[in-house]
Amino acid sequence: MKDVLIIGGGPIGIACALECKKNNWDYLIIEKGALTNSLFNYPKNMTFFSTSEKLELDKIPFISKNPKPDRDEALEYYRRVATSHAIAIHLFETVTALSKTKNQFLITTTKATYHAKHVIIATGFYDIPNLLNVPGEQLPKVSHYYKEAHPYAMQNVIVVGASNSSVDAALEIYRKGGHVTMLVRDEAIGKRVKYWVRPDIINRIKEEHIKAYFNANIIEIRNSEVVFDTLEGTRSIPNDFVVALTGYMPDFTLLQQLGVHLSKDANKRPEYDETTMETNVKGLYLAGVICGGMETHKWFIENSRIHAKKIATALRKNTASN
């Protein structure tokens, strides 16, 4: 039986593993994809909002050649942390069921069954996109993920949204020769867009190098056009690809299987103690972005690293009292 089983092999899951190692606990990370799978699936040219020291784990130096590291530098850093510290992790193994008896958890995966005294859920939110729920969304030309600009060169591309990911995609596709139109539900580019990028996208829109429709909502996606509503009425424009970067949501399945209380509002925030990170299910802890429920913008690497230390402190107290 494991002392601690960690579900999720991202930066915060690794941070939890480092705390387990320091306390000589028998632990294991289960990760359904590659190491730091969400980061791996980020756009190839993505630059973090945070500086490198804010992405560090357990004061292990993260040296970047730029003021703000990019995706490849982050992958290299977390990979080296995991390998140099011999983190116990099973990759490409999915947790399919999670249950609890009186004193232990039963964790079933696609490859094995495990028993653990405590479980930490440190899963991200990059696997379930927020759908537009419009006719045509299932067409092959529609994507809810963006990797790189090259396939969109010389194509009519609609980018949906005005978040960091949407703005980055629109600018990169435009600079690689794509004909970009942004459809934005709100009245302006989002205020949380990276401060060094926001003037760029605003100026490109002013110059009409990138066309933007605000207060716009897609009605239907067709093979060669997209129909959408604006304050001025319904419009239709030629289209080859739709990149709908409308955000993602966490998977609450494991939490619901164990009976973790979720707030009854749209945020679905899980119930947990902010001091210990323990949920209403004794022995089950949360770390990272899952703590925010649907508010996926609330927790980042830099402000949720502390969750690992909070959980370790709580576990030490529980161990001492038993």
Side-chain angles (χ1 to χ4, degrees), residues 119-120 271-281 283-287 291 306-315 317-318:
V119 169
I120 301 171
E271 180 180 319
Y272 65 93
D273 186 309
E274 293 185 5
T275 301
T276 65
M277 308 307 296
E278 188 173 24
T279 68
N280 60 283
V281 178
L284 178 69
Y285 299 82
L286 303 182
C291 298
I306 190 64
H307 293 171
K309 295 187 181 298
K310 287 185 175 183
I311 294 170
T313 299
L315 289 178
K317 289 180 179 179
N318 289 342

Side-chain angles (χ1 to χ4, degrees), residues 162-262:
S163 62
N164 276 296
S165 57
S166 302
V167 168
D168 285 346
L171 287 169
E172 188 172 333
I173 293 170
Y174 153 67
R175 292 197 165 103
K176 293 295 188 289
H179 310 298
V180 180
T181 299
M182 296 185 72
L183 296 185
V184 181
R185 182 178 57 186
D186 298 322
E187 61 184 18
I189 296 297
K191 292 184 179 179
R192 287 199 297 265
V193 170
K194 291 172 280 195
Y195 65 84
W196 65 93
V197 174
R198 198 167 188 271
D200 190 1
I201 188 65
I202 290 173
N203 286 329
R204 301 296 77 73
I205 292 171
K206 284 183 178 178
E207 297 168 353
E208 297 188 351
H209 291 157
I210 293 175
K211 181 66 176 177
Y213 292 94
F214 296 100
N215 299 298
N217 290 284
I218 291 181
I219 297 174
E220 183 179 1
I221 301 170
R222 300 171 180 167
N223 285 324
S224 58
E225 63 181 348
V226 169
V227 182
F228 57 95
D229 260 341
T230 70
L231 295 179
E232 289 74 35
T234 302
R235 299 183 64 99
S236 173
I237 60 174
N239 174 256
D240 299 305
F241 290 99
V242 174
V243 182
L245 301 178
T246 49
Y248 310 93
M249 68 179 73
D251 187 345
F252 298 111
T253 303
L254 296 180
L255 300 183
Q256 292 170 329
Q257 285 181 2
L258 277 176
V260 174
H261 298 158
L262 303 178

Side-chain angles (χ1 to χ4, degrees), residues 3 9 85 91 94 99 115 133 151 170 174 200 228 246 268 284 311:
D3 292 320
H85 288 77
L91 300 172
T94 302
S99 61
H115 294 84
N133 294 314
Y174 153 67
D200 190 1
F228 57 95
T246 49
K268 296 184 179 179
L284 178 69
I311 294 170

Side-chain angles (χ1 to χ4, degrees), residues 89-116:
I89 183 168
H90 289 184
L91 300 172
F92 301 102
E93 183 173 348
T94 302
V95 175
T96 57
L98 181 60
S99 61
K100 187 189 179 191
T101 60
K102 184 175 181 180
N103 297 314
Q104 63 179 272
F105 292 89
L106 175 65
I107 304 97
T108 304
T109 77
T110 50
K111 296 183 179 179
T113 299
Y114 305 89
H115 294 84

Side-chain angles (χ1 to χ4, degrees), residues 46-56 62 64 66-70 73-74 78 194-196 300-303 305:
M46 191 210 76
T47 299
F48 281 85
F49 190 94
S50 304
T51 53
S52 59
E53 71 272 11
K54 293 182 178 180
L55 301 176
E56 291 176 354
F62 181 175
S64 171
N66 301 304
K68 299 178 186 298
D70 59 27
E73 289 178 312
Y78 295 118
K194 291 172 280 195
Y195 65 84
W196 65 93
F300 303 93
I301 297 171
E302 66 179 74
N303 69 350
R305 298 174 297 178

